[in-house]
Every structure is written in C-alpha cells, then in structure tokens.
Amino acid sequence: MNLSDYKTIESLLKKHGFSFKKSLGQNFLIDSSVCPKMAEFACDETYGVLEIGPGIGVLTKEVSKVAKRVVAIELDERLREILPQTLADCQNVKVIFGDAMKLDLKSIIEENFADCQKVCVCANLPYYITSPIIMMLLESKLPIDNITVMVQKEAAERLCAKVGSRESGAVTVAVDYYADAEILFHVGRNSFMPPPNVDSAVIKLNIRENPPVEVRDEKKFFSLIKACFAQRRKTLVNTVSNTTNYSKDELRNALGELGISETVRAEQLTIEQLANLSNKL
Ligand code: SAM
C-alpha cells in the first residue's frame, strides 16, 4: 500500500470512517520524498527508533526499512484499526497506544531496544506540542543520540537559532545546552493532508555528551533563562526583576562583575554569558 498516495489514503480513511482531528495536530505526509530522507538522516541498521505520532504509518514504514527496530507511540485510539493493516509487512515495528508526554519512555527504550547499539527519536511531531515534546525528550536525558523531527518552519528557526541572535529564545538556549541543532531541509505545506497553514522543516538535534557550559544549578539556570526571555523587547534587568525575586540592583551588579552592559537584552548574550550570570546569581 502506498501511504503517500492521496487517493489510497483517502479511501483507507473513508473505509474506517476516520476524520482528521486538528486538536491532535493530524496533518499526514503525502510527499513520498520526505520520509525516506528523514529515515536516512536519523538512523541506520544499528538503531532502535522511537517514533511519536505514526498516524497511518507513512514515516514508520520508511524508518522500519532502515532501522533495526521501531517503536511508534500513537495517542489516537481510532488508529488501532488502521495501523495493523498499513504496517502488516513491517515485522520490526511495535505500536504502543498512549500519550508520549505521559509514558515512561526510558522503560520503553530499555524494554524494546536492548539489542540495538544506538537509539534515536524520529517523528513528524504534532505541532500543538512541539516544544514541550522536545524539551521533555531533552530534559529526561534519555539514552538517545539524536532527535530528527519535522516541526513548523518558524519553530525550526527558533529551535536551531544561534544563541545570541535575534531569532533566539529560551527554547534555543535550552536546546543548545543539550544538543547541536541543525535544519536539514524544508517541506512545503502542500506535502500534507490536510495542508496546514504553515510550512515545515526537518531538524536534527545531535545530543551532546556534555553541556557546552558549566552550570552549577540546572534548575536555577533554566528558570533564569525563561525569565530572561519572558519580555523580549525589554532589557534583561527589567524583564528578570519583573518576573523573579531578583532585584534590579542585584542584576546590575552581577552583569557589571561579568563585564556586561546593564542595558543588554537576553537575545544578545551567549550561552556562556547566560551560564556565568546564573552561576553568579
Ligand atoms: N507520522 C504521521 C505522518 O507523518 O503523516 C502523522 C504525523 S501527525 C503531524 C502527528 C501524529 O501525532 C498524529 O497521528 C496524532 O494523532 C499523534 N499525536 C498527537 N498527540 C500525541 C501525543 N501526545 N502522543 C502521541 N501521539 C500523538
């Protein structure tokens, strides 16, 4: 069955009375060139691959051709009828129904990929929870070496921006702390059924063995980063003093000791400077 073919998908979904749920970010890929490319970028035959949101299995099928094993987690119970049919030929795929944000992914990896040398995540992510999923994957420190995912173009640009550039935000700093991020290629909105209102991009986050900066207290660092970028147009001193217990004087002193101007905005600082500020405070 050609899972990228519009007519095939249309009749399959019709047969099962399946209608797309916007609330689950259901935009299925219908561009046959995208999934093989994603699979090649993400993994090889030594990998166990965790997929989030297989939909009708178009990416799952391509990843299963390249990887040793695939576990796909799908929230929509209505796909219970469809996936066994579309993935009937894929002996190395297991589908787990549940919410990827709530399942114990560490145990799923341990239970299913013991015979795989490496593990990665490959997915066309539901756009309504792109950043929460990526942050959850990074923060839970799973034994994975890369996250290769399709996200909205704007999200891709933010996630992969250079820290210290206008495009950077709190999520950019968080991603940079855990991974080396790159945009692999762009995908137009017409590659999906139904087409979303925005274009997309495939990004790869190569997980770092060690963070690029020394942070004494990660929790404090990440809450400071959030505060720093809360009001992007304001100076760091104003934003952070408005949203935390740090006073303007404390912030000015810390910046002064680090040789940073007190009128600086968060997007002008490097990850080293942000780490130093957190350590000093
Ligand atoms: N992989 C398919 C493709 O590329 O055509 C479908 C991708 S679609 C953008 C996102 C998929 O994620 C949908 O199948 C949706 O039901 C599923 N999904 C949404 N929220 C989820 C969650 N919290 N956990 C697991 N799957 C979820």
Side-chain angles (χ1 to χ4, degrees):
M1 194 184 298
N2 181 355
L3 297 178
S4 298
D5 178 62
Y6 194 94
K7 285 248 157 359
T8 309
I9 303 173
E10 202 177 40
S11 78
L12 175 78
L13 298 183
K14 198 168 165 200
K15 190 173 129 201
H16 292 275
F18 183 96
S19 53
F20 292 101
K21 272 197 187 160
K22 216 175 170 182
S23 60
L24 290 182
Q26 289 179 336
N27 302 96
F28 293 172
L29 265 165
I30 50 165
D31 179 338
S32 61
S33 70
V34 174
C35 297
K37 246 165 65 184
M38 281 182 77
E40 289 293 338
F41 273 116
C43 62
D44 59 31
E45 71 286 354
T46 64
Y47 275 79
V49 180
L50 199 61
E51 185 190 2
I52 295 170
I56 56 168
V58 62
L59 176 62
T60 325
K61 207 169 174 171
E62 294 305 322
V63 173
S64 84
K65 290 182 193 165
V66 180
K68 187 171 175 90
R69 214 169 288 292
V70 184
V71 171
I73 299 171
E74 175 56 60
L75 180 59
D76 191 345
E77 287 283 338
R78 297 173 305 157
L79 291 159
R80 252 185 213 280
E81 277 182 37
I82 301 178
L83 280 166
Q85 196 181 330
T86 54
L87 297 176
D89 298 338
C90 308
Q91 302 306 317
N92 58 349
V93 175
K94 176 169 164 184
V95 180
I96 295 176
F97 282 89
D99 185 338
M101 291 296 290
K102 295 187 184 149
L103 289 170
D104 179 353
L105 301 185
K106 219 170 218 161
S107 303
I108 291 177
I109 290 174
E110 277 166 18
E111 283 158 23
N112 292 280
F113 299 143
D115 60 348
C116 300
Q117 283 172 32
K118 300 177 197 167
V119 180
C120 73
V121 173
C122 185
N124 172 12
L125 289 179
Y127 291 170
Y128 73 105
I129 43 168
T130 300
S131 292
I133 288 188
I134 290 179
M135 288 318 300
M136 174 274 289
L137 292 171
L138 293 171
E139 282 169 1
S140 45
K141 299 191 176 158
L142 299 171
I144 55 177
D145 77 358
N146 81 80
I147 301 172
T148 301
V149 285
M150 172 108 63
V151 299
Q152 282 188 9
K153 184 170 161 275
E154 287 68 22
E157 283 161 1
R158 177 59 59 90
L159 290 161
C160 300
K162 193 170 161 15
V163 176
S165 72
R166 271 186 77 91
E167 296 74 34
S168 66
V171 75
T172 319
V173 181
V175 166
D176 193 38
Y177 185 76
Y178 292 110
D180 186 14
E182 57 177 330
I183 296 182
L184 296 177
F185 57 94
H186 289 92
V187 179
R189 63 194 74 187
N190 292 325
S191 295
F192 299 89
M193 174 185 183
N197 295 326
V198 288
D199 293 323
S200 297
V202 176
I203 61 171
K204 185 170 185 182
L205 311 182
N206 296 293
I207 308 298
R208 299 184 193 281
E209 286 199 7
N210 295 302
V213 287
E214 208 184 308
V215 166
R216 259 180 242 137
D217 180 340
E218 280 187 359
K219 211 169 148 208
K220 191 169 141 191
F221 175 64
F222 287 118
S223 58
L224 176 69
I225 296 302
K226 227 181 232 166
C228 282
F229 286 93
Q231 297 161 310
R232 299 176 57 82
R233 279 160 202 269
K234 294 198 173 161
T235 63
L236 185 148
V237 169
N238 282 336
T239 308
V240 177
S241 61
N242 282 344
T243 50
T244 67
N245 291 330
Y246 295 116
S247 69
K248 285 189 177 167
D249 280 343
E250 270 176 298
L251 292 161
R252 283 194 197 108
N253 287 341
L255 288 172
E257 283 174 36
L258 294 169
I260 301 170
S261 157
E262 62 178 58
T263 60
V264 79
R265 291 196 308 276
E267 65 191 31
Q268 296 172 302
L269 294 180
T270 63
I271 192 164
E272 288 81 11
Q273 289 173 314
L274 289 163
N276 289 341
L277 181 63
S278 167
N279 292 339
K280 197 154 270 304
L281 287 168

